[in-house]
Amino acid sequence: MSQANLMTGDPYDAIARLGTAPLWRYYGNLFAAEPKSRAVPYRWSYAALRPYLLHFADVLSLEEAERRVLMLVNPGLTEPPATTTNLYAGIQVILPGETAQAHRHTAGAFRFIIEGNGAYTTVNGERVHMRPGDLLLTPGWHWHDHAHEGDGPMLWLDGLDYPLVNALEVGFFELYSERTQKADVPDDISSRQFIHGRLTPAWDPKPSANSPIGNYPWEETSRAFDAIADDASGSDADGVVLEYTNPWTGGPVMPTIGCRIARLRPGFRGVSRRQTPSTIYHVVRGEGVTIVDGQRLEWGEKDVFAVPGWAAYEHRNASLSDDAILFSYSDTPAVTALGLYREEYVR
Amino acid sequence: MSQANLMTGDPYDAIARLGTAPLWRYYGNLFAAEPKSRAVPYRWSYAALRPYLLHFADVLSLEEAERRVLMLVNPGLTEPPATTTNLYAGIQVILPGETAQAHRHTAGAFRFIIEGNGAYTTVNGERVHMRPGDLLLTPGWHWHDHAHEGDGPMLWLDGLDYPLVNALEVGFFELYSERTQKADVPDDISSRQFIHGRLTPAWDPKPSANSPIGNYPWEETSRAFDAIADDASGSDADGVVLEYTNPWTGGPVMPTIGCRIARLRPGFRGVSRRQTPSTIYHVVRGEGVTIVDGQRLEWGEKDVFAVPGWAAYEHRNASLSDDAILFSYSDTPAVTALGLYREEYVR
Amino acid sequence: MSQANLMTGDPYDAIARLGTAPLWRYYGNLFAAEPKSRAVPYRWSYAALRPYLLHFADVLSLEEAERRVLMLVNPGLTEPPATTTNLYAGIQVILPGETAQAHRHTAGAFRFIIEGNGAYTTVNGERVHMRPGDLLLTPGWHWHDHAHEGDGPMLWLDGLDYPLVNALEVGFFELYSERTQKADVPDDISSRQFIHGRLTPAWDPKPSANSPIGNYPWEETSRAFDAIADDASGSDADGVVLEYTNPWTGGPVMPTIGCRIARLRPGFRGVSRRQTPSTIYHVVRGEGVTIVDGQRLEWGEKDVFAVPGWAAYEHRNASLSDDAILFSYSDTPAVTALGLYREEYVR
Amino acid sequence: MSQANLMTGDPYDAIARLGTAPLWRYYGNLFAAEPKSRAVPYRWSYAALRPYLLHFADVLSLEEAERRVLMLVNPGLTEPPATTTNLYAGIQVILPGETAQAHRHTAGAFRFIIEGNGAYTTVNGERVHMRPGDLLLTPGWHWHDHAHEGDGPMLWLDGLDYPLVNALEVGFFELYSERTQKADVPDDISSRQFIHGRLTPAWDPKPSANSPIGNYPWEETSRAFDAIADDASGSDADGVVLEYTNPWTGGPVMPTIGCRIARLRPGFRGVSRRQTPSTIYHVVRGEGVTIVDGQRLEWGEKDVFAVPGWAAYEHRNASLSDDAILFSYSDTPAVTALGLYREEYVR
Ligand SMILES: [Fe+2]
Ligand SMILES: [Fe+2]
Ligand SMILES: [Fe+2]
Ligand SMILES: [Fe+2]
Ligand SMILES: [Fe+2]
Ligand SMILES: [Fe+2]
Ligand SMILES: [Fe+2]
Ligand SMILES: [Fe+2]
């Protein structure tokens, strides 16, 4: 059949029927000069949200209570809901006596504890207790459930990478055979074995890209800041910023999510910088403002705020007498592993 | 202010105004039991598309000619156009005398040459000549342009990871200061230095996660198949399948894309398997059928077909006398680096 | 020239003159069935040596005082003096007011502090203070000197890999331009920044195969043992044994030397095991016996003992009420990096 | 008991009895300013040795024939015999019909074929055939034996790291249960699967620090030099020098030994450099001189010469018309893995 014969219809119709599109007529921008995230800079007010969290703790049905989480939805990323391009943040509240159905998922997760005492998460058979300021890990495909045996409500920040996992279309989910895992090792054993002195148990080593530490307790984090005191130079953009590390590798706690804690000294005013990964901050203590692509995010204690990828950010501690402490997490490990990390100072 | 006072309006309105959404009322599925790609199994017929490629080679304006590519758009991934979740394929045709404006982008890219002779791509100052069956790399942020100094049209498969790079919102693009790069090293030097005998230049080593090899020539690939002959067991799913490797690491050619070439012996009938990464195949030679999640993709010479992530696939060489040769690329390196690789046989 | 002509003399003389030896007449054993170290199992009694250390502290000339170290010479390794095949141990004593000439060497070194207070080592410009139970690192080619500003004698265990470095003939040595380094960072800063909570400073990262931590203080090590308590299974051969790690890698503190601290619970009786690396032990606390290739090494507080490579060892804590704490170091990192690690249980 | 009482004898005698030696009375040099190898620069003349090799091929008893190797003994390293500090070289000759008893040892080994045809080495069940210029690997603990089924004598260079393995006291040796291994995979399969095009079999991957390639054939090496031609800058000290690599890692062929092949162009005159590892050269082709610490080693075809660690060397090709081709091996991988590599130009 000759080429001429094939061309009797509209060739553009023909190639469309053959599953193709002409690049020369595509007006979308597949190659932008630089990234422009759909996510926007945003701050969530803990003071404003807390009463509602407690309200819903009162009124939700038993079934709903298990998902009693306010998703911190970036206005630019509403469906599916996400907080930055690859990451999710939510605030969860549970009440004494409540438990959650054990399950696991491909998405990596952590909890940073905001308020309350007496609850624990069971991760792969280890009960890990939660206190304010603690960072608890539930890496991908680790079984987890929780229970609250204390008094009063317990609130925490949930962080996950499900937006990334779902964008990659690689996510699995499974319910545990029973509602609750049995503890099969001593409570909090991973933290107790791994947290002190850069000492690592040398029997039965099981190195993994996921940290084996169930809890990076605030008590230790606090000790770190006390020890460093004012003797460290720190980062000109991020202050005295410490990375939570995986003891087996010295690297981030999970292959997709890195967690950090930073102290901005009284009066700290960071330089402006941007980087390809996005970051979600939680204010552990203090108040200040972060200027993100020219937009002022004023933050106070326990607020959460989002800095999209490649948005310039500049932190300022509003107090001349008190520290600000910022917990943060980002998709830096994922972006770096793919050779896609880039950063620059913004004059 | 008391909690009661805050609750005078509808609390759901209030929390929405505060930038949050109640997880307990979210009915989307953030945690599916297993991945279900939006991409569908699909085959693009080279025999059907070729006349149109040649037609457009005739009729396009000079300006349009530079983007004379048919994008192989997966019916499930039309906007932005993609071939599988993280990967793109297109077929490009250029004519003698044509050139392309030099540029670079974060997205990693390669060309697998289908037809023609006499063109070259200049990659970071090295002219790399193209012959059918050659695999040419243009890793992320490498300058590239091309020119055709031979006779007759030249057609190739373009592969890129821009869907991944854009989903992660980390992409940059830049035009070169001139239309064309000057050659500043001898032509094809990288291939000549690195391709033979697992020998690596030991002066001035510059290890990188991107392979330094501009061209993995078909001549060498052919030699590999000849040398292996029928003496290899091969993979029960993929036949005698060889990975193009980065000499500095022994790993994939780019951090996001892995490239392979497989020989399915006469009568080969693979077992059915699925894996979280997605794969795009190009039929270098032969004909057969690949059954993807129950759907038969019949393929002939030079066709392209897509196997979405976590879709079960089963290759069959239709000939009892001739080999089928399948070039393929996938996002396996990216998925693996993030700890998200999973595979299973499907009975 | 014909072969016959060449053969007029004794061919064995001829080949000897040509720099060769006939393998078929070599009766040494180049390939033994298994390793048999020249080193022997040996214990050094701290109680017996201490008075002499103090005696020499009194009587040595100023010039000699700078090298006031008793080398723990393995009876099988006298010239050059070594403690095991690749490692050296010595006990050093310094007095208030004494200092040492700053220098550096290829050999990696550490100090494990036995007695005293008030001295410090300056390592690459950082003053690191020493207290009993502290592990101080001076990795290869780091400048170091020390000074004693406290009261009373200060005694420590010196560990080095110079036998390995010298066997490989790769050692360099250099004196500092002045007697003493100036402190150019705050005292003990490395430990304060890196020791707590698996938190790593995230500004200006300088990953290295040598740990950046100047001091792994006993206070933290003690905290680790307290936290683990009796909840760990531990090693059947080594008890609750913890590896000091390099925060950048999660691996050993230096590329050639690994350091560990073990708690043998009351009544602990280890299984018998052997491994290709050799190990030197220092008894931090307690008493017991280690059976090495059938030979009983009875040890008490602060003693040192050597287990040669591939010698079967079996630890026993002699007390039914008190812990024994054993600090140890070995060439495991070196042996492992070369693919030469092997271990086995000995029935 | 008081300190005074202990001091009634000579304290130097006492501490000697306690297994120690006073460092302040040790006059050996544990810390030299820079390395000074016991090995000396040396050249072994193949032309001179070859008649004796053939002579001994004639006259040795059957039992002796199995060890018919001339050890190239460095005058500075006679007992145990070694060629440089960590490495050994020997020249072996075998006759048609001869075989060797199968065995394995911890020491890594290779053969670089000098003359003859028709013999093969069986390595872990794979028969690997030898032709001049081929590099055959028998990594540590791989079973090996050989047989000669061709005509005429077969001569090769044996390279091993037993001096290193024995210095570390980690060597094992084992005889195979039978005299000869049976072939259990197709002949030369590893080379055929791995040698061409940087393509790596992607089924059943078994990455290891030892290369899986039994033979790096001269045919491929020659192709590499032809392809590079005169288009490479090369090393100013080593010429166009290529490293044989392990396909799984891109690194050296074994964890302890690196192998290279270099082309010195007509008239090449290298700069003078020294490095901590030592190197043994074998002249594949050509003639020239290498000046080692001021000493001239004149070399011709098939000679072997040794450059001790930290000795300055400077290569010169004596011909203005012909290439010189130097095969070499060194302990660079071992020295580098331990953080002990250092090099410098010597003016
Ligand atoms: Fe969950
Ligand atoms: Fe601690
Ligand atoms: Fe491009
Ligand atoms: Fe080749
Ligand atoms: Fe020293
Ligand atoms: Fe601590
Ligand atoms: Fe052997
Ligand atoms: Fe080849």
Side-chain angles (χ1 to χ4, degrees), chain A residues 195-197 220 223, chain C residues 196 220 223:
Chain A
I195 209 67
H196 288 293
E220 269 296 293
R223 212 172 255 155
Chain C
H196 289 293
E220 268 297 293
R223 213 172 254 156

Side-chain angles (χ1 to χ4, degrees), chain B:
Chain B
M1 186 160 35
S2 82
Q3 192 173 314
N5 288 355
L6 275 168
M7 297 293 137
T8 51
D10 178 348
Y12 286 97
D13 290 348
I15 59 170
R17 280 192 306 270
L18 292 166
T20 73
L23 178 60
W24 61 95
R25 290 199 171 174
Y26 182 74
Y27 300 110
N29 191 354
L30 300 174
F31 298 97
E34 64 176 27
K36 178 72 193 110
S37 183
R38 290 167 301 135
V40 300
Y42 200 82
R43 184 221 48 160
W44 292 266
S45 165
Y46 189 76
L49 288 169
R50 189 176 187 277
Y52 295 100
L53 283 155
L54 298 179
H55 166 73
F56 290 119
D58 280 348
V59 303
L60 285 188
S61 74
L62 266 182
E63 186 188 52
E64 289 168 322
E66 197 150 335
R67 308 179 82 206
R68 196 192 296 117
V69 183
L70 290 186
M71 300 187 286
L72 307 188
V73 182
N74 193 291
L77 302 168
T78 52
E79 188 48 42
T83 310
T84 65
T85 305
N86 289 327
L87 299 172
Y88 158 89
I91 300 178
Q92 184 158 176
V93 56
I94 65 169
L95 296 179
E98 293 184 343
T99 63
Q101 166 62 47
H103 63 277
R104 63 180 176 180
H105 34 68
T106 300
F110 70 82
R111 296 171 171 191
F112 189 88
I113 311 308
I114 304 178
E115 292 186 48
N117 272 291
Y120 60 81
T121 301
T122 306
V123 181
N124 278 2
E126 176 190 352
R127 286 191 183 173
V128 182
H129 290 82
M130 322 180 190
R131 288 166 303 263
D134 290 0
L135 170 67
L136 279 82
L137 302 185
T138 49
W141 216 234
H142 284 51
W143 293 112
H144 55 288
D145 60 84
H146 59 246
H148 187 358
E149 302 184 335
D151 303 316
M154 186 93 224
L155 294 100
W156 64 73
L157 178 74
D158 270 325
L160 287 104
D161 62 6
Y162 75 70
L164 173 63
V165 167
N166 288 354
L168 300 178
E169 301 183 334
V170 296
F172 296 81
F173 175 90
E174 199 173 356
L175 289 177
Y176 194 62
S177 53
E178 298 167 66
R179 178 157 178 91
T180 298
Q181 297 173 74
K182 292 215 166 27
D184 58 16
V185 293
D187 284 20
D188 295 302
I189 184 69
S190 64
S191 180
R192 291 189 279 133
Q193 286 186 164
F194 280 95
I195 209 69
H196 289 292
R198 296 284 179 182
L199 288 161
T200 297
W203 62 92
D204 191 21
K206 295 178 286 291
S208 158
N210 289 306
S211 169
I213 297 178
N215 186 357
Y216 293 79
W218 175 253
E219 186 184 2
E220 268 298 293
T221 303
S222 171
R223 212 172 254 156
F225 282 127
D226 289 349
I228 297 173
D230 288 324
D231 288 329
S233 59
S235 156
D236 51 6
D238 297 321
V240 179
V241 58
L242 306 172
E243 175 109 11
Y244 295 89
T245 62
N246 174 349
W248 294 121
T249 65
V253 290
M254 293 186 271
T256 50
I257 304 180
C259 293
R260 294 184 169 187
I261 188 98
R263 173 178 169 243
L264 309 184
R265 286 175 240 195
F268 178 83
R269 192 173 165 145
V271 300
S272 185
R273 195 176 61 178
R274 56 185 172 185
Q275 50 197 24
T276 46
S278 61
T279 308
I280 297 170
Y281 291 87
H282 165 67
V283 184
V284 179
R285 181 189 309 160
E287 50 192 35
V289 60
T290 296
I291 302 165
V292 186
D293 275 353
Q295 182 176 340
R296 292 173 63 87
L297 301 180
E298 311 224 8
W299 41 261
E301 195 161 304
K302 303 197 192 319
D303 288 350
V304 176
F305 61 96
V307 175
W310 210 238
Y313 70 94
E314 182 185 326
H315 294 313
R316 297 181 189 174
N317 180 351
S319 169
L320 295 175
S321 55
D322 294 319
D323 288 342
I325 304 287
L326 299 179
F327 169 81
S328 67
Y329 62 112
S330 77
D331 56 343
T332 301
V335 170
T336 302
L338 305 182
L340 300 169
Y341 184 83
R342 196 193 279 209
E343 66 174 17
E344 68 178 27
Y345 285 96
V346 181
R347 64 270 99 206

Side-chain angles (χ1 to χ4, degrees), chain D residues 12-340:
Chain D
Y12 286 98
D13 291 348
I15 59 170
R17 279 193 305 270
L18 291 166
T20 73
L23 178 61
W24 61 94
R25 288 199 171 173
Y26 181 75
Y27 300 111
N29 191 354
L30 301 173
F31 298 97
E34 63 175 28
K36 178 71 192 112
S37 182
R38 291 167 300 135
V40 300
Y42 201 82
R43 185 221 46 161
W44 292 265
S45 164
Y46 189 75
L49 288 169
R50 188 176 187 277
Y52 294 100
L53 282 156
L54 297 179
H55 165 73
F56 289 119
D58 281 347
V59 303
L60 285 189
S61 74
L62 267 182
E63 185 188 52
E64 290 167 322
E66 197 149 336
R67 308 179 82 205
R68 198 192 294 117
V69 183
L70 290 186
M71 300 188 287
L72 307 188
V73 182
N74 194 292
L77 302 167
T78 51
E79 188 49 42
T83 311
T84 65
T85 305
N86 289 327
L87 299 172
Y88 158 89
I91 299 178
Q92 184 158 176
V93 56
I94 64 169
L95 296 179
E98 293 184 344
T99 64
Q101 166 63 47
H103 64 277
R104 61 181 177 180
H105 33 67
T106 299
F110 70 81
R111 297 171 171 190
F112 190 87
I113 310 307
I114 305 178
E115 292 187 47
N117 271 292
Y120 60 82
T121 302
T122 306
V123 181
N124 278 3
E126 177 189 352
R127 285 190 183 174
V128 182
H129 291 82
M130 322 180 191
R131 288 167 301 265
D134 292 358
L135 170 67
L136 279 83
L137 302 185
T138 48
W141 216 235
H142 284 49
W143 293 113
H144 55 288
D145 61 85
H146 59 246
H148 188 357
E149 301 185 336
D151 302 317
M154 185 97 221
L155 294 101
W156 64 73
L157 178 73
D158 271 325
L160 287 104
D161 63 6
Y162 76 71
L164 173 63
V165 166
N166 288 353
L168 299 179
E169 299 184 335
V170 296
F172 296 81
F173 176 89
E174 197 173 357
L175 289 177
Y176 193 61
S177 54
E178 298 167 65
R179 179 156 178 92
T180 298
Q181 297 174 73
K182 294 217 166 24
D184 58 17
V185 293
D187 284 20
D188 295 302
I189 184 69
S190 64
S191 180
R192 291 189 279 133
Q193 288 186 163
F194 281 94
I195 209 68
H196 289 292
R198 295 285 180 182
L199 288 161
T200 297
W203 64 92
D204 191 20
K206 294 179 285 292
S208 157
N210 289 307
S211 169
I213 297 178
N215 187 358
Y216 293 78
W218 175 254
E219 185 184 2
E220 268 298 293
T221 303
S222 171
R223 212 172 254 158
F225 281 127
D226 289 350
I228 298 172
D230 287 325
D231 289 328
S233 59
S235 156
D236 53 4
D238 298 319
V240 179
V241 58
L242 306 172
E243 174 108 12
Y244 295 89
T245 62
N246 175 350
W248 295 121
T249 65
V253 291
M254 293 186 271
T256 50
I257 304 180
C259 293
R260 295 184 167 186
I261 188 99
R263 172 177 169 244
L264 310 184
R265 286 175 239 197
F268 178 84
R269 191 172 166 147
V271 299
S272 185
R273 196 175 60 178
R274 56 185 172 185
Q275 51 198 25
T276 46
S278 60
T279 308
I280 297 170
Y281 291 87
H282 165 67
V283 183
V284 179
R285 183 188 308 160
E287 50 192 35
V289 61
T290 296
I291 302 165
V292 186
D293 275 351
Q295 183 175 340
R296 293 174 60 89
L297 302 180
E298 311 225 7
W299 40 261
E301 195 161 304
K302 303 196 191 320
D303 287 351
V304 176
F305 62 96
V307 175
W310 210 237
Y313 70 94
E314 182 185 327
H315 295 311
R316 298 181 188 173
N317 180 351
S319 170
L320 294 175
S321 55
D322 294 318
D323 289 342
I325 304 287
L326 298 179
F327 169 82
S328 67
Y329 61 112
S330 77
D331 56 343
T332 301
V335 169
T336 302
L338 304 182
L340 301 168

